[in-house]
Amino acid sequence: MPTRNIAEALDAWRAAERRWELIPSGDTESRGAAIEVIAAWLRYQELTGLEHDSFVLVADGGHAFVAVGGGIKAALDYEPADLLGRRIEDIAAPDLAPGTASTFDQFLNDGRQDGEYRLLARDGHEVTMRYQARAHYPIAGFHTSRLWPT
């Protein structure tokens, strides 16, 4: 990847952070600005080393995806935009979906989770994924998971 693209992505991430930091906490624009920071952060991450079949999902406290990495196309055949606003339960294997809320609550209490989880690909077949999840990262109130097929 050309260094110029990486530098531009880093600059965009930093600029988004500066804009977000100027908005008072609780302001109606704060959430949108935070999501812009997350999107810029994700672009930078993808340029600097995510593997082809690895992808990132960022969810809010209601389990809804606010950012989805491009690697999801190779792993599960979704376009990133297809999942924005959808919830983790929407793509979890049917037997896992009912327990997602309690698993997510435990994740938030622990601050991190690592393991395996089965997700539904676009065509409906289950794919076992490894994951590393971090609560309140890269911004408080948003939660990031890096996933890759087993």
Side-chain angles (χ1 to χ4, degrees):
M1 185 59 53
T3 304
R4 180 176 175 202
N5 290 344
I6 293 171
E8 288 172 356
L10 180 59
D11 288 345
W13 175 21
R14 289 178 176 160
E17 282 185 316
R18 285 190 296 276
R19 286 189 300 273
W20 171 67
E21 289 168 348
L22 293 174
I23 299 171
S25 176
D27 187 292
T28 58
E29 295 180 26
S30 182
R31 177 180 167 82
I35 291 171
E36 287 179 21
V37 171
I38 292 165
W41 169 82
L42 182 54
R43 280 190 295 277
Y44 177 76
Q45 296 301 312
E46 289 183 326
L47 288 172
T48 59
L50 285 176
E51 297 83 18
H52 170 69
D53 62 349
S54 175
F55 61 95
V56 172
L57 297 172
V58 181
D60 63 15
H63 313 178
F65 300 122
V66 299
V68 179
I72 196 149
K73 179 72 174 162
L76 299 175
D77 198 31
Y78 291 104
E79 294 296 333
D82 293 342
L83 295 181
L84 293 177
R86 293 186 59 194
R87 295 166 46 96
I88 297 165
E89 296 87 338
D90 296 335
I91 63 169
D95 63 312
L96 298 176
T100 299
S102 63
T103 301
F104 196 82
D105 289 345
Q106 185 63 50
F107 159 59
L108 293 181
N109 287 334
D110 294 344
R112 65 182 294 156
Q113 270 182 356
D114 303 279
E116 289 188 359
Y117 203 75
R118 292 185 329 279
L119 298 176
L120 296 177
R122 185 177 171 161
D123 66 7
H125 81 276
E126 291 184 13
V127 179
T128 302
M129 308 294 296
R130 297 275 315 145
Y131 71 92
Q132 296 174 326
R134 303 299 174 261
H136 302 287
Y137 183 83
I139 291 179
F142 297 93
H143 317 291
T144 300
S145 298
R146 180 179 162 265
L147 301 98
W148 62 97
T150 59

